[in-house]
Amino acid sequence: MSSTNLKITIDGSAGSAAPYEQLRAQIAARARSGKLPAGFKLPTVRGLAEDLGLAANTVAKAYRALEADGVIETRGRNGTFVAAAGEGAAREAASAAQAFAERVHRLGLTEADAVSAATEALRARYAAK
């Protein structure tokens, strides 16, 4: 299944990632690379679902995840757009880092132990790509 407008392809074969995750990852990658510039208007949930042969709830789930990550923004009835690069992601990362710092402090970890835990988690996550 593919979308000609966004050049999104969903792999439905066994063992592939969930369709919403494939959609989320491809839109996020295109937004980061600039192939989808800030302000680019995305198709409606129903329109993209129809184009890709997916359920509307699948596309809606991907859009919600992208919005939570600051990649896209919904402007009410005006539609859904690619957000300005980095702004939302930087805010989200700062918020996550603050929450992590508060949590490890409550757990009684030293700063060195907290940094080590974060470094290991990042290495594991980025090595998984």
Side-chain angles (χ1 to χ4, degrees):
M1 297 172 274
S2 67
S3 166
T4 54
N5 295 342
L6 293 177
K7 297 184 176 127
I8 300 289
T9 302
I10 303 299
D11 180 1
S13 64
S16 59
Y20 90 90
E21 178 56 28
Q22 292 179 52
L23 179 58
R24 185 211 58 77
Q26 289 180 54
I27 291 175
R30 283 176 177 73
R32 277 193 306 273
S33 72
K35 290 179 183 173
L36 291 177
F40 179 86
K41 186 174 183 177
L42 295 169
T44 64
V45 167
R46 285 185 184 167
L48 186 56
E50 186 175 303
D51 195 25
L52 293 172
L54 298 172
N57 285 341
T58 299
V59 175
K61 184 175 182 178
Y63 275 20
R64 283 191 304 272
L66 288 162
E67 190 162 26
D69 291 345
V71 176
I72 65 173
E73 59 189 11
T74 301
R75 300 178 189 163
R77 294 178 183 245
N78 292 322
T80 303
F81 299 83
V82 174
E87 289 178 12
R91 279 195 309 271
E92 183 74 19
S95 176
Q98 182 63 39
F100 172 77
E102 289 173 12
R103 177 83 172 138
V104 296
H105 182 69
R106 280 195 311 271
L107 292 170
L109 270 66
T110 65
E111 183 177 344
D113 289 340
V115 169
S116 177
T119 300
E120 288 304 312
L122 287 166
R123 283 187 184 139
R125 176 64 186 115
Y126 283 94
K129 283 190 168 187

